[in-house]
Amino acid sequence: MKKRIASFTLGFAAALALSLCLTTALAASGQVSYNFANVNLDGIQKIAAGQEITAANAQKIPGSILYTDAAGGKTNYLPIRTISELLGVEIGYDSAAKTVLLGKQRVPGGETSVTNPSNQNHASWVADGWKATITRAGGTVEELPNLSDLPAAAPAGQTADPKKQAETIPGRQWLRLKERMTVSYYGPEEAGQPKYDQPPAFRPAWLPEGWGLKDSISLNENNLVHRWSYGKGDGKLDFTCYLRSAGHLGISLYDWNAPRKPGLETPTVELQEVQVLGRKADFYQAGSTGYLFWEDEGGNLFLLEGNLDQTAMIPVAESVKEVKG
């Protein structure tokens, strides 16, 4: 799995795994089973049902925990270190702060230090404007290159800059990198510049009958990304605005309503070129879930995703406007 989507998948893995130490509390209110599930990554089995794994202290621990609540609902918990290593994400633990550390950690002065003795090949670059060192196995300390310094096609064992592999889209400002089940977009301005006191005020002014606002949340500390969530019964529709200086987004294209079974091959999601208010736009249909990306004249990128098809999504997209006050 490529690094550029690891951060997206990581939130899912962390949510599953951080409660591993709470087995006693879980058992008090439900039923706990061990080593119940297989774990597959990209169709390849990594942990087999019934298999224990070996922790860093050489002790055997469950490969998975299945918690069944009083209502019969089932939740699988996976060991976070194993999952992070499968996804290529550095992991550590700050015992003083009682904090699990995932990915590169920021420290004062715009620098980051990564200690990664067990997963030594996963850190090979750092974001532009940052300085970073990594402690490899054996204690060797190396300074990491910035992302923009990497070649478009990196030598074996190194990580290429995905932005250099992205394509320019005529008439649009964001670059696009489409792969089988993922898509990434790269903005025209440096990420994080400038900062805003208020989040973007863009949102749909029209929705199909029966749909209503459920939630609104800022997804960026600099107020560069904001999401509005709508619903109708079991249906869900999210509208997200990425200001031109948001930098980058990358998402997996999947059917929200389809069961995600281990080892199940998911079909490729194809790009469909459409138009929103006369401007070129990208549409992807993953089963019952649609994804529509488009830009406005100012270079802001919009994403509409949810349980609507292309025909129903485009009128919603064309109603988007900036609502202030």
Side-chain angles (χ1 to χ4, degrees), residues 120-133:
Q120 59 190 31
N121 294 321
H122 288 152
S124 56
W125 56 268
V126 67
D128 293 347
W130 291 80
K131 296 181 179 179
T133 59

Side-chain angles (χ1 to χ4, degrees), residues 124-156:
S124 56
W125 56 268
V126 67
D128 293 347
W130 291 80
K131 296 181 179 179
T133 59
I134 183 169
T135 304
R136 304 288 189 184
T140 303
V141 178
E142 299 178 9
E143 184 172 345
L144 298 179
N146 290 122
L147 181 62
S148 61
D149 295 330
L150 294 174

Side-chain angles (χ1 to χ4, degrees), residues 28-318:
S29 56
Q31 181 180 353
V32 175
S33 303
Y34 299 98
N35 302 322
F36 183 83
N38 298 304
V39 177
N40 286 32
L41 177 63
D42 292 340
I44 301 174
Q45 187 176 85
K46 298 297 183 179
I47 302 175
Q51 174 187 346
E52 293 185 323
I53 62 175
T54 303
N57 62 357
Q59 297 299 303
K60 294 291 185 180
I61 63 173
S64 64
I65 293 177
L66 174 65
Y67 172 63
T68 305
D69 60 34
K74 300 179 184 296
T75 303
N76 284 294
Y77 294 84
L78 307 177
I80 195 168
R81 179 173 294 278
T82 300
I83 299 303
S84 70
E85 290 178 358
L86 289 176
L87 297 175
V89 178
E90 293 84 20
I91 183 172
Y93 182 70
D94 185 338
S95 57
K98 297 181 179 179
T99 302
V100 175
L101 307 174
L102 298 169
K104 298 176 178 64
Q105 304 301 309
R106 296 187 179 188
V107 296
E111 299 180 354
T112 180
S113 179
V114 180
T115 301
N116 187 22
S118 62
N119 209 13
Q120 59 190 31
N121 294 321
H122 288 152
S124 56
W125 56 268
V126 67
D128 293 347
W130 291 80
K131 296 181 179 179
T133 59
I134 183 169
T135 304
R136 304 288 189 184
T140 303
V141 178
E142 299 178 9
E143 184 172 345
L144 298 179
N146 290 122
L147 181 62
S148 61
D149 295 330
L150 294 174
Q158 296 186 22
T159 302
D161 177 4
K163 184 174 182 179
K164 293 180 180 179
Q165 303 175 38
E167 62 177 317
T168 300
I169 310 170
R172 292 165 63 178
Q173 300 185 38
W174 289 66
L175 306 181
R176 178 182 64 212
L177 181 61
K178 172 67 175 69
E179 298 186 293
R180 194 178 73 85
M181 284 296 299
T182 66
V183 64
S184 297
Y185 291 86
Y186 299 87
E189 292 185 1
E190 181 181 354
Q193 300 294 333
K195 299 180 180 180
Y196 295 94
D197 294 330
Q198 299 293 327
F202 293 95
R203 62 179 183 268
W206 177 87
L207 294 166
E209 184 177 355
W211 288 80
L213 180 65
K214 298 296 184 181
D215 193 19
S216 172
I217 184 172
S218 181
L219 303 179
N220 179 278
E221 62 183 4
N222 294 339
N223 287 316
L224 300 173
V225 183
H226 197 83
R227 174 174 296 158
W228 301 80
S229 296
Y230 304 88
K232 176 184 178 182
D234 294 331
K236 183 179 179 182
L237 183 67
D238 287 344
F239 167 77
T240 309
C241 170
Y242 300 83
L243 295 184
R244 58 178 289 120
S245 53
H248 163 252
L249 74 138
I251 68 171
S252 294
L253 304 168
Y254 67 97
D255 186 347
W256 292 359
N257 296 326
R260 308 190 72 183
K261 299 179 180 179
L264 181 64
E265 181 68 16
T266 306
T268 300
V269 178
E270 301 294 344
L271 165 65
Q272 303 176 44
E273 295 185 352
V274 297
Q275 289 195 347
V276 173
L277 295 175
R279 301 179 64 86
K280 292 183 179 180
D282 301 339
F283 182 79
Y284 309 90
Q285 186 73 52
S288 66
T289 306
Y291 299 83
L292 178 63
F293 296 85
W294 76 102
E295 298 176 26
D296 66 5
E297 294 181 353
N300 302 308
L301 181 69
F302 303 129
L303 165 61
L304 195 62
E305 54 184 325
N307 304 129
L308 292 178
D309 61 17
Q310 179 189 132
T311 302
M313 273 194 173
I314 289 180
V316 178
E318 292 185 334

